[in-house]
């Protein structure tokens, strides 16, 4: 089971901090290429994420298998949208959009999603800290973002179709916490319009 070293975990924490800081600055006019070289043929994040769960070993194995499936779903979904799966900007956008819809209980429309996707890809491209991450750390960060975002998107879509709405309520605190951890702001400050994603004033939690 893959377990990041202390230095690798520190590098990932610094990358998340850079994302939060970048959100406070104007975005560049165009997105640069933030594709990640996949240097490990086996996914890294599923095992490290599962290993961090406070559950027995057998449940860790089950969680790891589910994370691998979510990563496969993410790659299939990006292919359908003609987006590069191995792009940190795309993974960041999937993370933010999926978690926001669970955190807020709101469904974003296609225009809002497309505009936010473009903004978040520009955000990732503007951060030299992401480009400077070692290759393994970049791959693991991409996979973590993709897995979390894909999981939350699945929960949100199912709830919107009346399938297991209780799961949405169970996942909401985690989604709110994930967004705050990575973006450095409460989810309720995020605003999504056809012009992109912006920060606004904090509103009461839904």
């Amino acid at each position: 089971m893959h377990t990041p070293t202390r230095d690798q975990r520190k590098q990932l924490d610094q990358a998340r901090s850079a994302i939060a800081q970048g959100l406070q600055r104007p975005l560049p006019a165009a997105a640069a290429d933030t594709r990640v070289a996949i240097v490990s043929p086996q996914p890294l994040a599923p095992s490290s994420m599962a290993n961090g769960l406070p559950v027995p070993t057998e449940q860790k194995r089950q969680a790891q298998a589910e994370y691998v499936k979510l990563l496969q779903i993410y790659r299939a979904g990006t292919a359908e949208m003609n987006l590069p799966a191995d792009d940190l900007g795309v993974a960041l956008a999937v993370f933010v959009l999926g978690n926001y819809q669970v955190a807020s209980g709101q469904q974003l429309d296609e225009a809002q999603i497309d505009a936010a996707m473009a903004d978040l890809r520009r955000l990732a491209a503007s951060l030299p800290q992401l480009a400077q991450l070692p290759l393994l750390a970049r791959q693991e960060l991409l996979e973590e973002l993709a897995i979390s975002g894909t999981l939350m998107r699945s929960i949100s879509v199912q709830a919107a179709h009346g399938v297991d709405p209780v799961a949405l309520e169970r996942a909401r605190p985690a989604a709110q916490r994930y967004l705050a951890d990575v973006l450095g702001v409460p989810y309720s400050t995020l605003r999504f319009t056809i012009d992109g994603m912006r920060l606004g004033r904090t509103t009461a939690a839904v």
Side-chain angles (χ1 to χ4, degrees), residues 15-25 127 180-185:
R16 296 186 190 94
S17 177
I19 292 170
Q21 294 171 13
L23 192 62
Q24 310 294 328
R25 299 192 295 266
L127 302 175
D181 287 348
V182 172
L183 299 184
V185 295

Side-chain angles (χ1 to χ4, degrees), residues 66-127:
E66 289 302 315
Y67 293 151
V68 169
K69 290 179 183 177
L70 286 167
L71 198 54
Q72 293 169 344
I73 293 170
Y74 162 78
R75 294 188 181 282
T78 53
E80 288 180 3
M81 298 172 66
N82 293 316
L83 292 170
D86 299 328
D87 187 297
L88 265 176
V90 172
L92 176 61
V94 168
F95 169 86
V96 171
L97 293 166
N99 277 279
Y100 177 80
Q101 290 181 105
V102 170
S104 66
Q106 301 173 8
Q107 288 289 312
L108 302 176
D109 62 34
E110 186 174 347
Q112 292 171 323
I113 289 173
D114 288 346
M117 175 75 71
D119 276 354
L120 288 160
R121 293 184 72 183
R122 288 199 297 273
L123 170 61
S126 73
L127 302 175

Side-chain angles (χ1 to χ4, degrees), residues 20-205:
Q21 294 171 13
L23 192 62
Q24 310 294 328
R25 299 192 295 266
L27 295 174
D33 190 347
T34 51
R35 297 195 189 195
V36 173
I38 302 302
V39 292
S40 171
Q42 296 298 321
L44 301 173
S47 59
S48 62
M49 292 171 69
N51 198 38
L53 297 175
V55 297
T57 300
E58 182 57 31
Q59 291 182 32
K60 291 179 189 290
R61 292 196 189 99
Q62 294 171 359
Q64 180 177 344
E66 289 302 315
Y67 293 151
V68 169
K69 290 179 183 177
L70 286 167
L71 198 54
Q72 293 169 344
I73 293 170
Y74 162 78
R75 294 188 181 282
T78 53
E80 288 180 3
M81 298 172 66
N82 293 316
L83 292 170
D86 299 328
D87 187 297
L88 265 176
V90 172
L92 176 61
V94 168
F95 169 86
V96 171
L97 293 166
N99 277 279
Y100 177 80
Q101 290 181 105
V102 170
S104 66
Q106 301 173 8
Q107 288 289 312
L108 302 176
D109 62 34
E110 186 174 347
Q112 292 171 323
I113 289 173
D114 288 346
M117 175 75 71
D119 276 354
L120 288 160
R121 293 184 72 183
R122 288 199 297 273
L123 170 61
S126 73
L127 302 175
Q129 296 91 333
L130 298 186
Q132 293 164 4
L133 279 175
L135 293 179
L136 285 175
R138 278 168 61 87
Q139 178 176 339
E140 184 167 355
L141 177 60
L142 181 146
E143 291 172 0
E144 284 184 0
L145 294 171
I147 289 167
S148 173
T150 302
L151 172 61
M152 293 300 178
R153 181 181 182 278
S154 175
I155 292 172
S156 177
V157 169
Q158 288 184 354
H161 288 85
V163 179
D164 198 7
V166 176
L168 182 71
E169 296 304 319
R170 288 199 303 264
R172 183 169 293 174
Q176 294 171 355
R177 185 174 66 252
Y178 295 159
L179 286 172
D181 287 348
V182 172
L183 299 184
V185 295
Y187 81 94
S188 54
T189 64
L190 301 178
R191 301 288 180 271
F192 295 89
T193 71
I194 60 173
D195 296 318
M197 190 186 82
R198 301 290 181 269
L199 294 180
R201 292 183 178 180
T202 303
T203 58

